[in-house]
Amino acid sequence: MARMEEHRFLSQGTTCVGRLHRLDETPAHRPCVIMGHGFGATQEAGLQPFVDALVAADFAVFTFDYRHFGESEGTPRQLLVIQREIEDWLAAIRTARSLPGVDPERVALWGTSLGGGLATSAAARDGGVQALVAQCPMMDGLASARAVLGYAGSVYMARLAGHGFVDLVRGALGMRPHYIPSAGKPGEIAAMSAPDAYDGYISLMPKGTPNEVAARITARLMFYRPEREAARVRCPALIQICDRDTVAPGTAAERAAARMPDAEVRHYDIGHFDIYHGDACKHALADQVDFLKRRL
């Protein structure tokens, strides 16, 4: 039987909520995998199969919500700020290392989608984690913006940029954010609107979870390029690439992996959101468990 303990921790003065998952019979000082989600998502959004599989393999798993999302504090809500979320990762690392039953010398980071890029930045900046798993990682915001341009066109991009500009102005004036959907159907204004984005994203989100984000992230995301930090990731890394990814282009993940001193790359002939379900999820998980057992 697995057990779960809630742990609250501070990230730059804001309280974040994390959960430590482990087997009841797990002895002290087990390796720990810190798990963070992607764009606007929380620890409740489709991560349980990954948590369960890693716990069953005798790892402790520490999940957490970023500031402004889920159970963590932070106002306004649904505000995605890249540098804050990297700081949340670093705070989660410090917290996990201090938890009873966790071996502070055997800590890995596991990030998916945008979280894969954030985990890469955190691994580079912390310098002391022992392994990194980046699942369908967003390694280049500019490449993701080009992907949107490719499937939606320049007029759509201009409209999206307009929403981002409005929200930046409102933020500068201390006003309530201007929100757009995190995921929408093709043609709808949303942070993600590829053909598979809406159904794939909504399938992960628990009932009642807001499908919205402060629009300013659309003006900032293209400037976040974690592949540039990849060379400073000194730990072994597993980079899992979805070859039909419409959200996080695999070419950027390939470039990031090539810059890492010790990276293993796995390819899957699936779309971005397929990796969370069914056989694709089982395949990805088998590779993760194998990697972490060998490297951690």
Side-chain angles (χ1 to χ4, degrees):
M1 292 283 298
R3 59 181 294 187
M4 186 273 288
E5 305 165 358
E6 183 176 293
H7 293 273
R8 294 175 178 265
F9 61 95
L10 289 178
S11 179
Q12 296 183 316
T14 301
T15 300
C16 293
V17 175
R19 297 172 184 165
L20 181 66
H21 310 258
R22 56 181 175 171
L23 293 174
D24 283 345
E25 64 269 24
T26 299
H29 298 104
R30 300 310 298 163
C32 181
V33 180
I34 303 171
M35 186 174 287
H37 219 314
F39 191 99
T42 71
Q43 57 191 323
E44 296 282 358
L47 294 184
Q48 200 60 48
F50 301 93
V51 172
D52 291 344
L54 292 175
V55 169
D58 208 18
F59 295 97
V61 178
F62 186 68
T63 61
F64 69 97
D65 286 336
Y66 301 108
R67 275 179 278 179
H68 307 283
F69 292 91
E71 297 181 39
S72 292
E73 296 179 355
T75 54
R77 304 303 293 169
Q78 305 299 116
L79 174 65
L80 199 167
V81 181
I82 293 292
Q83 294 306 318
R84 291 183 189 178
E85 294 200 347
I86 295 172
E87 287 296 334
D88 296 344
W89 270 99
L90 296 173
I93 294 169
R94 293 191 294 270
T95 300
R97 286 178 175 145
S98 70
L99 296 177
V102 169
D103 183 348
E105 300 301 322
R106 289 190 292 168
V107 170
L109 308 187
W110 184 106
T112 187
S113 191
L114 176 61
L118 298 173
T120 298
S121 294
R125 299 181 193 190
D126 174 80
V129 298
Q130 281 68 50
L132 166 68
V133 174
Q135 176 179 276
C136 56
M138 198 289 289
M139 291 291 194
D140 185 346
L142 182 59
S144 294
R146 287 171 176 158
V148 176
L149 182 63
Y151 66 70
S154 58
V155 173
Y156 178 91
M157 287 292 287
R159 293 173 62 202
L160 192 60
H163 284 269
F165 178 75
V166 168
D167 190 43
L168 284 171
V169 171
R170 291 179 67 87
L173 296 175
M175 301 171 66
R176 182 180 183 276
H178 169 62
Y179 294 102
I180 60 173
S182 296
K185 297 177 181 179
E188 295 177 349
I189 291 295
M192 296 176 282
S193 61
D196 61 340
Y198 181 80
D199 289 339
Y201 190 80
I202 295 301
S203 72
L204 299 175
M205 307 305 281
K207 186 176 181 179
T209 302
N211 175 29
E212 64 178 15
V213 65
R216 69 196 71 174
I217 187 58
T218 63
R220 293 172 171 171
L221 189 61
M222 70 180 66
F223 300 107
Y224 177 51
R225 310 185 75 182
E227 70 170 89
R228 294 179 173 177
E229 299 185 79
R232 295 194 288 119
V233 176
R234 296 300 175 184
C235 63
L238 174 64
I239 309 300
Q240 297 180 291
I241 298 173
C242 298
D243 289 331
R244 289 186 275 134
D245 202 318
T246 58
V247 175
T251 52
E254 286 273 18
R255 292 194 302 267
R259 294 182 179 185
M260 296 177 183
D262 186 4
E264 301 177 20
V265 178
R266 299 287 184 273
H267 286 268
Y268 310 88
D269 186 24
I270 57 175
H272 185 82
F273 296 98
D274 297 327
I275 204 165
Y276 299 100
H277 305 287
D279 290 341
C281 178
K282 292 177 183 177
H283 189 181
L285 262 170
D287 289 340
Q288 292 168 15
V289 170
D290 171 71
F291 168 79
L292 289 167
K293 283 192 169 183
R294 287 188 287 109
R295 299 301 200 116
L296 195 62

